[in-house]
Amino acid sequence: MTDPNEFQKKSQSEIDILLREFLIIVSGYISSNEIPADSPVLSPSYILRYLRAMKFDIKRAVILWKRSLDFRLNVAKIPFNVPRLVLTDFMPVLLGGFITIPRGMCDKNGRQILIVRPRFMDPYKLERVKLFQ
C-alpha cells in the first residue's frame, strides 16, 4: 500500500521534473487539438491533480488527462477558449430562485458559495441563458 502523504514527500524539484516530462509527452496532443498555451488544462495545479490521482505514474496520468480532455471536446463540446462569464448572463436563473448566492458565506478557502435548488428550476428560463457565446 502506498503512503497517502507521498505527494508531501516529493521535493519541488521532483515535482517540476514530473511536470516537464508530462508536458513533453502530451506536446503532440496539445498541438493537434490547438489547446492555447494559457489554457487552465496546462497549468501545473491542473496537471498535478492527474499525477496525484495516478500516484505519480506519468503514463497513467497522461491517459486519464487525455481521456478527460477528449470527453470535454467531443462529448460535452466545451471549447478551450471559453470567455469568463458575467453575472448578468445568469440573471434569469438567479431571479428564478434556482441558484442563490448568500451574502458573506464562503468555504474554508474563501470562495463564494452558491446554493442550487433544483425544485425551483424552470427549464424554459435555462434554455434562454446562453453560456457559451
Side-chain angles (χ1 to χ4, degrees):
M1 183 153 175
T2 57
D3 186 7
N5 297 323
E6 182 179 355
F7 174 70
Q8 294 170 348
K9 291 180 181 178
K10 295 210 178 287
S11 68
Q12 187 61 43
S13 61
E14 289 176 312
I15 292 171
D16 290 340
I17 291 169
L18 286 170
L19 289 171
R20 270 189 247 120
E21 288 178 21
F22 187 95
L23 289 173
I24 289 169
I25 292 171
V26 299
S27 62
Y29 182 88
I30 292 169
S31 61
S32 68
N33 286 299
E34 298 177 359
I35 300 172
D38 62 343
S39 176
V41 299
L42 298 176
S43 70
S45 60
Y46 191 85
I47 294 170
L48 274 173
R49 292 178 191 169
Y50 292 91
L51 287 169
R52 280 190 217 117
M54 294 295 128
K55 296 183 174 74
F56 295 96
D57 182 348
I58 292 181
K59 290 180 182 178
R60 290 177 53 209
V62 166
I63 291 169
L64 183 63
W65 183 82
K66 284 181 179 179
R67 283 184 181 169
S68 69
L69 294 187
D70 284 339
F71 175 84
R72 179 180 177 159
L73 283 172
N74 302 324
V75 179
K77 307 278 191 231
I78 300 172
F80 290 111
N81 56 353
V82 177
R84 289 200 173 267
L85 300 173
V86 182
L87 186 59
T88 56
D89 296 339
F90 292 102
M91 285 313 286
V93 178
L94 291 172
L95 293 173
F98 175 58
I99 297 175
T100 57
I101 305 173
R103 184 174 295 190
M105 288 184 67
C106 298
D107 68 0
K108 64 181 178 180
N109 294 322
R111 295 177 295 226
Q112 182 71 44
I113 293 176
L114 298 176
I115 300 174
V116 179
R117 296 181 176 152
R119 71 173 179 257
F120 294 116
M121 184 180 83
D122 182 3
Y124 300 107
K125 283 186 183 178
L126 291 178
E127 285 177 13
R128 290 190 294 261
V129 177
K130 296 179 182 173
L131 300 179
F132 301 111
Q133 284 185 344

